[in-house]
Amino acid sequence: MTRVLVLEGHPAKDTFCGALAAEYANHAQKGGNEVRVRHLADLNFDADFGVSSFKDAKPLEPDLEALWQDILWCEHFVLTHPLWWGGLPGRLKGLFDRILLPGMSFQYVKGKPLPEKLLKGRTAQVLVTSDTPGWYFTWIYGAGAKKQTEKQILDFCGLKPKGYHMFSPIRGSSDEAKRKMLARAAALGRKAA
């Protein structure tokens, strides 16, 4: 059994991104894993970091503190989100700005160019919805959001990436195409961690 945290990172409710997160979580739980799901749209917090140094960071609101405890609890972190303007939605990026802080998720070490990763021992997967076809995202755009999410957010803190999965194109896709995407999310959930 693996402790799985699914963060559904769409800033709106009732989205296809949310449906993918639900399929993943449902099938991970059916596979015997302990699963917790958090929805960005339900979290009450100020997404603006708003200061110039970490020492002046605002205290975490209760919803962010609860999410942080879930991150510490989990062994496998799953992030679902839409691709907006080639990256994370602003509110989701703001969540990471606010919650992934030094002394919590990473720690600067004097004399070393890169910080110590404080969330080691955990794995991560990312499920991304997009109107951009996957091949265009990779070969024309250079998969910038994938690099940022896997290397500069997850791995930077010690969460070992185990897959970045594109679900696209969403706009204009048929009901059958969406059913196949949901089945793919379910299959990933069955293989959680």
Side-chain angles (χ1 to χ4, degrees), residues 28-45:
Q29 192 168 33
K30 284 181 180 177
N33 301 296
E34 190 176 348
V35 180
R36 294 181 184 174
V37 180
R38 293 282 183 164
H39 299 275
L40 179 66
D42 293 337
L43 301 178
N44 184 13
F45 69 99

Side-chain angles (χ1 to χ4, degrees), residues 161-172:
K162 288 189 69 179
Y164 190 93
H165 310 276
M166 291 288 293
F167 294 82
S168 67
I170 300 299
R171 193 168 74 101

Side-chain angles (χ1 to χ4, degrees), residues 4 18 20 31 42-43 67 72 75 99 111 116 125 129 166 169 176:
V4 178
L20 290 174
D42 293 337
L43 301 178
L67 176 61
L72 293 177
E75 297 168 299
I99 203 168
E116 180 183 351
Q125 276 183 303
T129 60
M166 291 288 293
E176 179 60 24

Side-chain angles (χ1 to χ4, degrees), residues 19-183:
L20 290 174
E23 279 298 301
Y24 187 103
N26 183 37
H27 287 274
Q29 192 168 33
K30 284 181 180 177
N33 301 296
E34 190 176 348
V35 180
R36 294 181 184 174
V37 180
R38 293 282 183 164
H39 299 275
L40 179 66
D42 293 337
L43 301 178
N44 184 13
F45 69 99
D46 181 358
D48 184 5
F49 188 70
V51 293
S52 62
S53 71
F54 286 120
K55 69 180 173 70
D56 298 324
K58 302 173 222 177
L60 298 181
E61 294 89 344
D63 283 354
L64 288 188
E65 182 58 43
L67 176 61
W68 176 248
Q69 292 306 314
D70 285 344
I71 291 171
L72 293 177
W73 166 85
C74 81
E75 297 168 299
H76 184 60
F77 175 71
V78 180
L79 172 65
T80 67
H81 72 85
L83 185 71
W84 285 2
W85 292 107
L88 303 173
R91 186 163 168 77
L92 180 58
K93 174 62 170 62
L95 180 141
F96 289 136
D97 289 346
R98 290 288 318 283
I99 203 168
L100 298 178
L101 299 170
M104 292 171 60
S105 61
F106 66 94
Q107 183 61 55
Y108 292 114
V109 179
K110 189 173 182 166
K112 293 192 176 181
L114 295 175
E116 180 183 351
K117 303 172 182 191
L118 299 181
L119 295 177
K120 283 189 214 174
R122 295 166 180 83
T123 56
Q125 276 183 303
V126 183
L127 285 65
V128 180
T129 60
S130 175
D131 292 333
T132 303
W135 66 268
Y136 202 88
F137 170 76
T138 300
W139 297 107
I140 305 301
Y141 289 152
K146 178 179 190 260
K147 293 173 188 172
Q148 177 192 31
T149 304
E150 286 190 330
K151 296 185 183 301
Q152 295 177 287
I153 297 173
L154 300 172
D155 187 53
F156 186 87
C157 297
L159 294 155
K160 183 179 179 183
K162 288 189 69 179
Y164 190 93
H165 310 276
M166 291 288 293
F167 294 82
S168 67
I170 300 299
R171 193 168 74 101
S173 63
S174 67
D175 289 345
E176 179 60 24
K178 287 181 180 169
R179 275 192 293 276
K180 287 180 180 177
M181 290 182 204
L182 290 169

